């Protein structure tokens, strides 16, 4: 069981010839609405690949929020712990013909109290994993510590997986790494906030976390607490829209961990799922199911696993 606590929103996707520079005026080639949000997308990706996924975000009492939750339910996601006391926010996605994008997101009303309630509910339900997006840090650290402190003695809580891509400064990212068992982050943000390869390896070892660094079509890297480094490729696809690919990677990674796979096996599976998700427009329409991922893996056998490199 995986509980996803984080963003839900409506994506307003605007097709543009190229991402505009400051002061540019560009003509939209297409405009469409769809369901999105980091945590919601990840929960849908996990459910489609067979996980027992629960979404615990904050939306509104309006019909649009009802439709949003119904779409998650249709993917097999439980939404019992989603609060309907806020607003279903909007994200504006600028999308170029080659699949590159820029995102303008709106803050939501998911606060520390909601995180605390979700952690307690997940623990009482015997959840194996809790997902949080990086937007919640560093404030989420206190909520996690408080929920752990009031747990009955000997009661284990769920493992924590953080999508770091919402972090806006180094302090937030380091606080999230200190709390997490597993973390996923895009390489440009990781390098900007933490530094290059040696710094990322030190962060994984120093914070005792499995850190997966994704890099779009250039593949991914898994850095382990023991100092090991594993590199893997992205799959080759005709990309239509990369929106939500990172969310798909994280959701599929969570699902594989929940099935008892190793972090390396989970990352390989997630990379295929993320690649396949780019072949259709929108953050949700392209999310593959388990059969699609396993069919691709069967048609492309994994070569012999090389020995991992180690960071001194």
């Amino acid at each position: 069981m995986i509980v996803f606590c984080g963003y839900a929103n409506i994506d307003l996707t605007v097709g543009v010839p190229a991402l505009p520079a400051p002061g540019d005026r560009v003509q939209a080639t297409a405009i469409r609405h769809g369901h999105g949000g980091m945590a919601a997308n990840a929960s849908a990706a996990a459910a489609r690949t067979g996980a027992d996924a629960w979404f615990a975000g904050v939306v509104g009492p309006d019909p649009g929020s009802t439709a949003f939750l119904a779409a998650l339910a249709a993917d097999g996601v439980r939404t019992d712990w989603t609060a309907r006391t806020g607003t279903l926010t909007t994200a504006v996605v600028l999308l170029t013909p080659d699949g590159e994008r820029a995102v303008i997101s709106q803050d939501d009303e998911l606060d520390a109290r909601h995180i605390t309630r979700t952690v307690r509910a997940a623990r009482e339900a015997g959840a194996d994993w809790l997902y949080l997006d990086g937007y919640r840090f560093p404030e989420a650290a206190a909520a996690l510590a408080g929920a752990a402190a009031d747990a009955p003695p000997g009661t284990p809580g769920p493992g924590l997986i953080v999508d770091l891509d919402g972090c806006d400064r180094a302090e937030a990212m380091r606080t999230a790494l200190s709390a997490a068992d597993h973390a996923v982050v895009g390489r440009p943000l990781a390098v900007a906030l933490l530094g290059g390869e040696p710094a990322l390896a030190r962060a994984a070892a120093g914070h005792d976390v499995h850190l997966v660094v994704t890099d779009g079509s250039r593949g991914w890297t898994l850095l382990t607490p023991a100092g090991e480094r594993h590199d893997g490729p992205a799959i080759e696809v005709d990309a239509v829209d990369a929106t939500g690919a990172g969310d798909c990677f994280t959701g599929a990674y969570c699902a594989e961990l929940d099935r008892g796979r190793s972090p390396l096996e989970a990352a390989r599976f997630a990379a295929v799922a993320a690649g396949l998700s780019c072949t259709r427009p929108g953050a949700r329409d392209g999310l593959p199911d388990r059969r699609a991922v396993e069919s691709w893996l069967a048609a492309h056998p994994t070569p012999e696993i090389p020995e991992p490199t180690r960071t001194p």
Side-chain angles (χ1 to χ4, degrees):
M1 178 181 179
I2 315 164
V3 180
F4 293 83
C5 185
Y7 262 110
N9 57 250
I10 295 297
D11 285 344
L12 173 61
T13 303
V14 182
V16 291
L19 296 180
D24 282 356
R25 181 181 180 89
V26 297
Q27 192 74 20
T29 57
I31 296 177
R32 67 175 184 273
H33 293 79
H35 294 147
M38 291 172 64
N41 292 341
S43 71
R48 289 193 189 184
T49 52
D52 179 12
W54 292 57
F55 176 68
V58 176
V59 297
D62 57 290
S65 294
T66 299
F68 184 95
L69 296 179
L72 285 177
D75 273 324
V77 179
R78 293 284 298 270
T79 61
D80 308 51
W81 297 337
T82 296
R84 303 200 60 177
T85 55
T87 302
L88 181 60
T89 59
T90 299
V92 179
V93 182
L94 303 181
L95 179 67
T96 67
D98 60 358
E100 289 301 311
R101 73 205 189 285
V103 182
I104 307 166
S105 61
Q106 178 186 9
D107 201 5
D108 65 5
E109 296 164 80
L110 195 159
D111 58 16
R113 288 179 297 177
H114 183 81
I115 294 173
T116 300
R117 288 194 297 268
T118 300
V119 174
R120 289 171 178 164
R123 183 180 64 226
E124 292 170 3
D128 300 293
W129 299 99
L130 171 71
Y131 160 108
L132 285 173
D133 61 47
Y135 289 98
R136 313 303 152 188
F137 290 89
E139 293 77 12
L144 292 168
D150 66 11
T155 304
L160 180 63
I161 303 166
V162 181
D163 186 336
L164 298 172
D165 278 341
C167 296
D168 60 357
R169 56 194 189 278
E171 176 201 2
M173 187 169 287
R174 293 189 185 281
T175 303
L177 286 169
S178 295
D181 299 289
H182 296 262
V184 181
V185 64
R187 183 173 297 279
L189 182 62
V191 171
L193 296 187
L194 297 180
E197 295 299 326
L200 297 179
R202 288 195 299 269
H207 293 289
D208 193 26
V209 62
H210 285 85
L211 176 61
V212 185
V213 183
T214 61
D215 200 11
S217 62
R218 290 167 290 278
W220 53 271
T221 298
L222 170 65
L223 302 167
T224 75
E228 297 176 350
R229 170 184 173 138
H230 301 271
D231 293 293
I235 67 172
E236 295 185 8
V237 296
D238 293 325
V240 174
D241 185 356
T243 304
D247 304 336
C248 178
F249 186 105
T250 306
Y253 182 79
C254 292
E256 291 305 285
L257 291 180
D258 197 46
R259 290 172 68 89
R261 306 300 190 209
S262 71
L264 178 57
E265 291 171 321
R268 285 177 168 156
F269 183 95
V272 175
L276 295 176
S277 77
C278 297
T279 59
R280 294 182 63 183
R284 299 274 184 88
D285 287 351
L287 296 177
D289 58 18
R290 174 163 292 276
R291 179 180 299 178
V293 178
E294 290 182 341
S295 294
W296 193 97
L297 288 169
H300 302 80
T302 303
E304 184 177 346
I305 302 174
E307 288 295 318
T309 58
R310 288 185 177 273
T311 302

